[in-house]
């Protein structure tokens, strides 16, 4: 069965117009079912690009690892 892979970094815009970064980790159980753990970072960013830069500098994120919401 084919499943869509979860990108490890989610950038979302909150109600106030600020951007937040969520770091996601995917692992698989013994039946090959994905288990995704998400951690919302406490930092608040003015732009999506600053959130990307933070992920790149602190989590070694690469292009193609970001999802937006």
């Amino acid at each position: 069965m084919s499943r869509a892979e979860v990108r490890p970094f989610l950038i979302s815009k909150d109600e106030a117009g600020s951007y937040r970064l969520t770091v996601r980790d995917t692992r698989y159980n013994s039946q090959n079912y994905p288990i995704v753990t998400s951690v919302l970072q406490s930092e608040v960013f003015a732009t999506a690009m600053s959130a990307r830069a933070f992920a790149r500098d602190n989590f070694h994120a690469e292009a193609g690892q970001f999802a937006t919401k």
Side-chain angles (χ1 to χ4, degrees), residues 3-52:
R3 297 178 197 240
E5 190 169 324
V6 175
R7 294 186 180 181
F9 302 100
L10 173 66
I11 298 173
S12 58
K13 194 171 191 177
D14 65 10
E15 306 84 30
S18 300
Y19 291 88
R20 303 292 305 265
L21 176 69
T22 302
V23 178
R24 304 184 288 192
D25 180 45
T26 303
R27 52 192 174 84
Y28 296 89
N29 67 7
S30 60
Q31 287 81 32
N32 204 28
Y33 186 81
I35 300 170
V36 179
T37 334
S38 300
V39 178
L40 179 65
Q41 300 301 301
S42 60
E43 290 80 359
V44 178
F45 304 98
T47 65
M49 291 306 293
S50 59
R52 282 178 182 260

